[in-house]
Every structure is written in structure tokens, then in C-alpha cells.
């Protein structure tokens, strides 16, 4: 369940006027569930990529692709049909569930046979609550044993049990999920079926619910009854998964690593290649899910995956870390922040170490062998993503892109000295024409630095860096490289890079090729690439800024919408007044524009869109700031659905403009914020 269905769910909750639905029998005593998947299961689910109405043809084609792409042989075996598979009236007169004949003309049993014929396993979806006609589309409430028997008769191998109908009927999740687990184990066919407990309800994302009804409470009872259990709300929307929500779900999933183990794991939701994240961001999600010992369920339309996405999904070293038989979940070492270290103990005593960069700029990150639980002066570092194997004197370091993560398998070094661990830095723009540089533009001269550090126990000799830029850009080296870099030493090489006046807007790559000599190992080469944001042309004249190209734009949920409230469902409207132009966002949000220092004033009306009045009274509080070159030029304070503020800001000399919406400290629930009538005089 994602927030796009939240309004409907709240309506359901208020429509169930008869009070909480009584549970006819007490929860069965929890008994240890069978070990159906000793390590985390892998596969694909229809929900995010195919939307709410999957078809037999799509599922067959996706099963075929799992085989032809090599994903099946890499371990992705589950083909999981998510919600909206049932007929409009989901049960026949006998009380059995019926597939929608328009989507599944041959029923589900034949489709399951087809999936099995491909060497794959089949999963199905239902809900722990009752079916509520016109409000809750599919529920097994009151039919647990009947439905478990039917899924087994159809020969399904796994069942995902949602909680949308459950929360609408105000059920107790521990009680009903325990009953469902008992029904699955006792199915009439005696068929083993994996149980994915999927309670996505969280506060404040969904409103204000008691802790025992939320996904964050599932850890306390689910390990005894399920093979996996969701630990937070959905990681995104259908067709839209954002990196910030990946981090949010990972953090929630990390709260209780102690309950994961062989046959039962925490579930932070699905993988989202090509659903809104960059390749780098998805590689980070894959890294985090792997060290979390999480199920690896692909949420995208398989048939659209690029080779880069497939390579990430199939990387054998990363999958080996996810499938490590100890099934230990990674924990953070050191403080939380923009950069973090996570460590996972592996069955043979090795450590999987993640250097995570949550921030928006490249960083060189470090930790130590002793910090991750390994003693001794020499450690072997196997980079899971690059396959490079080096030796360190005890420091673990990596140049990590923005929103990136380095993943090492770390073990004690043995034998003769290995290749020294040298971190070849990412090219970093440190200033533009002598000023800080969040973005660059055509005609700018920028300073680019590449830092190289040696964490090995031996020196490296004749280091050199060559910097490549897009066609038409000029690159000039500044100064000379040193003759050697001693152990624990570093060097920074500097370049002056000039963009042509007509440099194309978007992201341009700078690639640094670092070479050096390692005693006994010859000339070594490392290549690192970093993207540089090139701004579009600055506005000129009296400009409706919402119609001008922005550099970047984020929204707490969904995406920023031009001239409509977030989601595009209605015109921008505040306190009954409709505005023809503007930007609708959900908190938190940042919309960035390049002004180039040529604008005079900014005018707008800011506030909460009237669309929130169609939902409950919770939430709908935001803050608005106008930030020029890092300096706050306007601050609205906290606005509710009954407030608006006028913006009139002097933009003289501002090169980069940020329009920032915050959640006012109470989460983003119901925060639909507007920048209305947004105009700039340039």
C-alpha cells in the first residue's frame, strides 16, 4: 500500500461505522514456523512495475525474462502476483476466491503450472482483513483456512498477506496474522508455503495509529509465525521509488537486527531499479538490502531493465553476502549521519563492510579493521562491486559518490604483501570562479581536485592522474604529482576546467584515471567518474518561474507538479483561491533554479493546498524558505491549512536559488504545499 491509496483507506476507516470487527477465535499459540527459505528469498513482484492490474500475459512474459536474462540462475526464483488479481466480486457462491477472468482468462492454476515449468516458484497476495465491497478489494477475513487451502490447491509456494482491510476493520495484527499463519501451516494439501507478513501501516505516514497496529511492531511477534515481515510502509509508489525513501525504509528495518536469522528475516520492501533512482542510487539500495539479509524482490517491470540494472541484480559477490548462511543483519558502527559505516558478520568470520554516503557530494570515507571487529595489522579488502582485491595496513577507505555505497568483504591478510590499498578519489568541483559550487554553467572555469591516498603498508611510486571531460571542455593540470605516496600518505592533484559557453544542461561526467607503481605488482590503474550538474540557461525578463527549467526538484511523496497540486489531481488552491501557475510539492522538498546573478526580485504566495481538506485533520503543516546561494532570504515559519504567506524577496546577485519546504517537525503526512504565482524579475 502506498500513499496514493491513503485517502481511500482513510475513507474506509471512517466508513466502518459498526466498530471494530470482532475476531471470532483467539489467536493460536505461536509455534516455530518451518524453515522454508534458510537464506533470504529472491524474486520478482508485480506491484511497482506493472501497477494494480497484472495480467496472465505479463506474468508469463516476466517469468520468461527471469529465465532468459539469467536472473533465475542467479537465484531470483519467486514470481509473485500482488494485489488486484481477484474478480470484482472476489468470491463465488461457494465462497472460493476467483481470479479476474479479464486479467487471467485461464485461471491461476494453469499460470502456476507455467511458472513451475520454468523452474520458478509462485507467490500470491491477500489481506488479513475482511472484504469490504466498494472499499477494500480483497480480504481473507473470515476465510483463513478456506483461502489457505485454495492457495495450496493452486500449488502456490508463497503468500503475501497485506493489512489494508485489517486496519480498515480495526483488527489486531498479531491476532489475525497468527491465525493466518496457522491456517497456512495446516492447509489441506500439506503444501509448504512461505508467509510474507505485510503490515505497511506507520505513523505519521498514515495518520495516528497505536504502535501495536503498525509495521514497526511486527518484529515482536512475526519471527515466530512468518518467514519475512515488513518493517515499514511502502518504499515508494507504483512506478516511483525515491532514494530518500529507500534510506528511510532501511533505517526502520535496522531497528531490530537481533530478530533476523536462518528462515526468518526483516523485510524493508522491494528493489526499485529504474523506478526513479539513478543507477548509483539503485546500486546503493542493492548494497544495503544485501547486508541487511533482506529478501531481494525486484519491483520493476523486468522487461524494461537495462544491462546496468541486470548486472547490479546479478553481481555474484553481492549476492553471496546477502545469501551468507549465518543470516546476520548488518549494524551501524559509529554515529548516524551523512556518512556511515555498516558491518555484517559473515559465517566464515569475514566482515561485509559498507561505507555509505547519504549526502549530495562525493566523499572519501574511512573506517578501520578494528572498528569492524577484525584484529591484526594487515587485512584483505575484496571490493564486491569492482572485484578489485587489495591489502591495507588496517584502514578501510573508499571514494564514494553522492548517494553511493562502497561494499567490501574484509578478512585477515595472509601470505606475501598484496597490492596496496590505494583510494583513487572522485573528481570533485571545489569552486566556480573562486566561489563555492553547487552547480556549474556554460562559460564557467572550475577547480577540480582528485585526492589519492595510500592505506597500504608499502609506498606506491610515480602516481599520475589524467582527467577527461566532455567534448568542448578544456582541462589543464595545475602543479606536479609527487614521486611517491608513502604508507598512510596522500596527494591531491588539481585541474582547471573550463566549460564552453553553450555547455549542454544536465549531468556531465568527469573521469579521473589514476595510475601508480606497486612493488612486485606492476603498474596499477584505477578509474573513477563523478557527475557534474550543468545548469540550464538563466531566466531573462519577467518569468513565470514554474515554467522555467529547474536544475533539480524533489517532493516528499510523488513528484513536484507544475501548475497543479502535488500529484496533479487538482489546480493549485489555497483558502478557496485558485492560482493558475505555481509548483505543488509534498514535504520535504527542494526545488533548485539557476539564476546566474541576473535577477532582481521573487514573488509568490505560499501555503497548504485546499486538497488536504478532503482528508482528515492530521498533518498539513509545513515551512517555506527561499534560499539564495546558501543564505536564507525568506522564512515563513510554520503554516497550517488555514495560513498563507506572501513572498517578496530581493534576488540581487543570487546565482543558485533553492525553494525549500520542510515538514514542520511532525512528518510529511498530508503536507501538500504550494508555491503559487511564482515569478522572478530578471
Amino acid at each position: 500500500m502506498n500513499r496514493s491509496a491513503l485517502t481511500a483507506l482513510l475513507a474506509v476507516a471512517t466508513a466502518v461505522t459498526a466498530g471494530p470487527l470482532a475476531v471470532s477465535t483467539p489467536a493460536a499459540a505461536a509455534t516455530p514456523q518451518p524453515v522454508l527459505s534458510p537464506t533470504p528469498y529472491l524474486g520478482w513482484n508485480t506491484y511497482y512495475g506493472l501497477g494494480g492490474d497484472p495480467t496472465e500475459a505479463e506474468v508469463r512474459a516476466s517469468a520468461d525474462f527471469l529465465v532468459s536474462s539469467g536472473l533465475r540462475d542467479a537465484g531470483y526464483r519467486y514470481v509473485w502476483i500482488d494485489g488486484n488479481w481477484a474478480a470484482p466480486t472476489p468470491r463465488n457462491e461457494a465462497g472460493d476466491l476467483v481470479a479476474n477472468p479479464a486479467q487471467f482468462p485461464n485461471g491461476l492454476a494453469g499460470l502456476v503450472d507455467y511458472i513451475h515449468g520454468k523452474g520458478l516458484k509462485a507467490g500470491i497476495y491477500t489481506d488479513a482483513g475482511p472484504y469490504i465491497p466498494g472499499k477494500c478489494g480483497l480480504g481473507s477475513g473470515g476465510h483463513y483456512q478456506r483461502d489457505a487451502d485454495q492457495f495450496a490447491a493452486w500449488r502456490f509456494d508463497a503468500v503475501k498477506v497485506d493489512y489494508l482491510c485489517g486496519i480498515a476493520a480495526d483488527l489486531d495484527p498479531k491476532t489475525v496474522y497468527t491465525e493466518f499463519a496457522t491456517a497456512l501451516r495446516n492447509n489441506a494439501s500439506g503444501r509448504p508455503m512461505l508467509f510474507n507478513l505485510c503490515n505497511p501501516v506507520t505513523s505519521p505516514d498514515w495518520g495516528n495509529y497505536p504502535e501495536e497496529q503498525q509495521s514497526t511492531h511486527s518484529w515482536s511477534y512475526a519471527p515466530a509465525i512468518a518467514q519475512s515481515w515488513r518493517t515499514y510502509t511502502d518504499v515508494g509508489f507504483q512506478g516511483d521509488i525515491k532514494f530518500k525513501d529507500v534510506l528511510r525504509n532501511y533505517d526502520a528495518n535496522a531497528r531490530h537486527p537481533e530478530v533476523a536469522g536462518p528462515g526468518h528475516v526483516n523485510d524493508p520492501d522491494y528493489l526499485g531499479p529504474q523506478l526513479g533512482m539513478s543507477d548509483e542510487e539503485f546500486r546503493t539500495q542493492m548494497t544495503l538490502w544485501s547486508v541487511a539479509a533482506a529478501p531481494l524482490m525486484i519491483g520493476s517491470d523486468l522487461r524494461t531493465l537495462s544491462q546496468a540494472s541486470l548486472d547490479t541484480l546479478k553481481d555474484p559477490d553481492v549476492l553471496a553476502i546477502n545469501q551468507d548462511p549465518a543470516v546476520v543483519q548488518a549494524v551501524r558502527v559509529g554515529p548516524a549521519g551523512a556518512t556511515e559505516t555498516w558491518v555484517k558478520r559473515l559465517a566464515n568470520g569475514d566482515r561485509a563492510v559498507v561505507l555509505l554516503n547519504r549526502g549530495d557530494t562525493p566523499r572519501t570515507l574511512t573506517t578501520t579493521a578494528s572498528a569492524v571487529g577484525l584484529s591484526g595489522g594487515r587485512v584483505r579488502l575484496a571490493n564486491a562491486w569492482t572485484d578489485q582485491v587489495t591489502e591495507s595496513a588496517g584502514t578501510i577507505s573508499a571514494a564514494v559518490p553522492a548517494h553511493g555505497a562502497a561494499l567490501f568483504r574484509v578478512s585477515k591478510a595472509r601470505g606475501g604483501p598484496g597490492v596496496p590499498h590505494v583510494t583513487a578519489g572522485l573528481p570533485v568541483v571545489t569552486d566556480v570562479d573562486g566561489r563555492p559550487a553547487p552547480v556549474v554553467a556554460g562559460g564557467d572555469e572550475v577547480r577540480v581536485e582528485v585526492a589519492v591516498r595510500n592505506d597500504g603498508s608499502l609506498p606506491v611510486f610515480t602516481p599520475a592522474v589524467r582527467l577527461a571531460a566532455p567534448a568542448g571542455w578544456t582541462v589543464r593540470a595545475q602543479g606536479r604529482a609527487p614521486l611517491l605516496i608513502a604508507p598512510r600518505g596522500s596527494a591531491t592533484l588539481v585541474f582547471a576546467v573550463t566549460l564552453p559557453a553553450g555547455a549542454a544542461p544536465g549531468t556531465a561526467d568527469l573521469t579521473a584515471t589514476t595510475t601508480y607503481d606497486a612493488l612486485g605488482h606492476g603498474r596499477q590503474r584505477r578509474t573513477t567518474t563523478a557527475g557534474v550538474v550543468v545548469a540550464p540557461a538563466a531566466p531573462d525578463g519577467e518569468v513565470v518561474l514554474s515554467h522555467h527549467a529547474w536544475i533539480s526538484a524533489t517532493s516528499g511523496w510523488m513528484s513536484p507538479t507544475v501548475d497543479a497540486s502535488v500529484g496533479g489531481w487538482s489546480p493549485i488552491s489555497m483558502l478557496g483561491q485558485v492560482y493558475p501557475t505555481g509548483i505543488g510539492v509534498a514535504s520535504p522538498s527542494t526545488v533548485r533554479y539557476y539564476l546566474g546573478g541576473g535577477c532582481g526580485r521573487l514573488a509568490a504566495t505560499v501555503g497548504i493546498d485546499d486538497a488536504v481538506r478532503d482528508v482528515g485533520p492530521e498533518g498539513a503543516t509545513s515551512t517555506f524558505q527561499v534560499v539564495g546561494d546558501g543564505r536564507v532570504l525568506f522564512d515563513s515559519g510554520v503554516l497550517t491549512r488555514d495560513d498563507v504567506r506572501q513572498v517578496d524577496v530581493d534576488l540581487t546577485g543570487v546565482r543558485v536559488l533553492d525553494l525549500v519546504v520542510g515538514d514542520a517537525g511532525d512528518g510529511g503526512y498530508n503536507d501538500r504545499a504550494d508555491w503559487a504565482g511564482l515569478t522572478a524579475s530578471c
Side-chain angles (χ1 to χ4, degrees), residues 130-190:
Y131 167 52
I132 304 173
K135 298 186 181 299
C136 186
L138 173 63
S140 288
H143 303 271
Y144 290 168
Q145 195 61 62
R146 188 180 200 97
D147 290 355
D149 292 346
Q150 186 166 5
F151 294 149
W154 281 337
R155 301 182 62 228
F156 277 102
D157 305 287
V159 183
K160 170 182 174 178
V161 185
D162 212 335
Y163 192 58
L164 310 187
C165 306
I167 195 65
D170 197 25
L171 301 182
D172 173 60
K174 178 179 179 180
T175 300
V176 296
Y177 277 129
T178 302
E179 289 186 343
F180 207 111
T182 301
L184 283 179
R185 284 199 302 269
N186 296 333
N187 72 80
S189 302

Side-chain angles (χ1 to χ4, degrees), residues 10-33:
L10 291 170
V12 170
T14 56
V16 182
T17 56
L21 184 73
V23 178
S24 58
T25 58
T31 58
Q33 83 278 17

Side-chain angles (χ1 to χ4, degrees), residues 54-55 207 234 251 266 308 449 538 555-556 591 623:
T55 68
D234 287 9
D251 290 339
N266 289 304
E449 297 182 358
S555 178
V591 181
T623 59

Side-chain angles (χ1 to χ4, degrees), residues 634-656:
F634 167 84
D635 190 328
S636 69
V638 176
L639 300 187
T640 71
R641 66 185 71 197
D642 297 317
D643 299 317
V644 296
R645 292 283 189 279
Q646 300 301 317
V647 179
D648 186 6
V649 174
D650 183 359
L651 296 177
T652 302
V654 171
R655 176 182 169 90
V656 178

Side-chain angles (χ1 to χ4, degrees), residues 49 79 104 120 146 192 195 197 229-230 238 248 270 291 368 385 522 524 558 572 591 594 628 682:
V79 175
F104 300 95
L120 300 164
R146 188 180 200 97
F195 177 23
L197 188 159
W229 51 93
R230 281 280 295 279
Q238 292 178 357
R248 176 203 64 195
Y270 302 148
V291 298
T368 64
W385 287 116
Q524 301 292 308
M558 305 210 57
I572 290 174
V591 181
Y594 176 70
C682 303

